[in-house]
Amino acid sequence: MTELVEPAAAQHWCDRCGTDAAVGGHAACAAARKLEPPRYCGHCRRRMKVQVLPVGWSAVCVEHGEIRG
């Protein structure tokens, strides 16, 4: 699988709550994302398959591929 590496500015959807990133404040989402992996694809709003391991995490979108952290 390819690793998805794109700037956060290109994301239209919040990768934690799945709502429009341009609407409302997402300060709580940004704070939570420091401790947990994304749950939604920031490009298409699909729910991602997330796996958390002791050494990090991976999240897979069926349309946009995998990201790791």
Side-chain angles (χ1 to χ4, degrees):
M1 290 187 190
T2 61
E3 188 170 334
L4 179 66
V5 180
E6 292 189 30
Q11 294 186 353
H12 183 72
W13 305 102
C14 176
D15 61 1
R16 180 173 181 263
C17 66
T19 60
D20 192 343
V23 177
H26 289 276
C29 293
R33 281 284 289 117
K34 292 179 182 178
L35 301 173
E36 61 185 51
R39 301 296 175 178
Y40 293 88
C41 178
H43 304 285
C44 66
R45 198 180 186 188
R46 283 187 172 93
R47 185 95 167 139
M48 294 193 292
K49 181 179 88 174
V50 178
Q51 183 175 20
V52 178
L53 303 169
V55 296
W57 54 263
S58 68
V60 180
C61 172
V62 296
E63 183 71 25
H64 296 102
E66 180 180 26
I67 54 174
R68 294 178 181 263

